Amino acid sequence: MTMDIKFSIIVPVYNSESYLVNCIESLINQTYSNIEIILINDGSTDASLNICEEYQKKDSRIVILNKKNEGPSAARND
């Protein structure tokens, strides 16, 4: 019996619109598909949240958490 382990990938997001698409694309195109992608929007003021929301509509494995800006360490700890 083979067990598929589900992995959660946590991505702190803060004003990262210029490279966020590449990041999310690389995650959703992994060969191992039993993953949950948690995008933690840390109070972005650019289009980062919009990008996250568009990908969430396309892929049910994506979860978005919104919070006020406290830095990447705090974002990963939520």
Side-chain angles (χ1 to χ4, degrees):
M1 175 164 91
T2 304
M3 258 178 61
D4 282 330
I5 299 173
K6 186 173 189 176
F7 288 96
S8 295
I9 301 167
I10 300 170
V11 181
V13 175
Y14 178 73
N15 291 345
S16 53
E17 68 182 347
S18 60
Y19 57 88
L20 187 56
V21 169
N22 288 339
C23 175
I24 297 172
E25 284 287 332
S26 73
L27 294 173
I28 63 176
N29 291 319
Q30 294 295 310
T31 56
Y32 188 80
S33 62
N34 196 15
I35 61 173
E36 170 185 49
I37 303 166
I38 303 171
L39 303 173
I40 303 177
N41 180 44
D42 192 26
S44 295
T45 57
D46 64 359
S48 294
L49 179 57
N50 293 336
I51 294 168
C52 292
E53 291 171 339
E54 286 303 312
Y55 273 95
Q56 185 181 42
K57 291 176 189 174
K58 299 176 190 176
D59 195 317
S60 63
R61 299 174 297 170
I62 295 177
V63 175
I64 302 171
L65 299 176
N66 284 302
K67 58 189 294 327
K68 67 178 183 162
N69 180 260
E70 294 178 318
S73 294
R76 283 189 295 267
N77 290 330
D78 276 350

